[in-house]
Amino acid sequence: MVLIAAPMASSGGGGITLLLPLILIVGMIWFMSRSQRKQRQKQADTVAALQPGTKVITTSGQVGIVEEVDDEYVTLEISDGVLVQFVKAAIGRVIPEETDDAVADEPVDEAADQIAVEPAETKDTVDVPGTGTEKVQDKGKLPPTHSEN
């Protein structure tokens, strides 16, 4: 028996198979940077549109009303008479103003208008052995059911 050493056959698309993962990685990076660019542009538009009286939320979660807008800073009133300066980049989003039309369009829920009155917790008295006195013991409250809000 004679063994012949033959070279292994190569697949025809060697260059394409190496290039395909590289193309996919570059495409993913491009799409991610594109979405980040859109977010930065939206943030810049939000900051540019700030004017006194606008209600905003900062990136740290602070809610306030814009009092003054400078080149670099925004002064927010976070409580009655309490003014705080933030860097413009710290403004996260603008809270839309609620109009009377939006409140009037909401359906009226009569059940929500009724006040649910829960019975007061009852207390039991227990005789303390050997002392002849009574001790007040709280009765446990039942767990809430699915019908309670």
Side-chain angles (χ1 to χ4, degrees):
M1 177 184 267
V2 178
L3 294 173
I4 301 174
M8 293 182 54
S10 65
S11 61
I16 300 276
T17 56
L18 292 175
L19 205 59
L20 187 61
L22 182 64
I23 292 171
L24 290 174
I25 290 171
V26 169
M28 287 176 27
I29 292 171
W30 182 75
F31 278 116
M32 289 188 317
S33 68
R34 183 175 171 220
S35 66
Q36 287 177 351
R37 207 175 316 127
K38 283 184 178 181
Q39 287 177 351
R40 281 194 305 259
Q41 183 62 39
K42 184 180 177 183
Q43 171 69 16
D45 293 343
T46 301
V47 170
L50 287 179
Q51 53 187 330
T54 306
K55 193 170 185 180
V56 296
I57 298 178
T58 64
T59 55
S60 62
Q62 186 71 47
V63 178
I65 299 172
V66 176
E67 288 293 318
E68 184 181 343
V69 180
D70 294 337
D71 291 337
E72 295 182 33
Y73 299 101
V74 176
T75 305
L76 299 180
E77 181 178 18
I78 59 173
S79 185
D80 291 334
V82 179
L83 300 176
V84 180
Q85 275 192 331
F86 285 92
V87 177
K88 277 188 173 181
I91 303 300
R93 63 185 171 108
V94 175
I95 300 174
E97 295 180 16
E98 294 181 9
T99 61
D100 293 334
D101 296 337
V103 175
D105 290 343
E106 294 179 7
V108 177
D109 187 12
E110 292 178 9
D113 292 340
Q114 297 175 354
I115 298 174
V117 177
E118 296 183 18
E121 293 183 14
T122 58
K123 298 187 186 272
D124 289 340
T125 56
V126 178
D127 290 331
V128 178
T131 61
T133 61
E134 292 184 349
K135 180 180 176 184
V136 177
Q137 180 179 2
D138 292 336
K139 207 177 215 184
K141 191 176 179 184
L142 294 176
T145 61
H146 66 281
S147 61
E148 292 179 334
N149 290 333

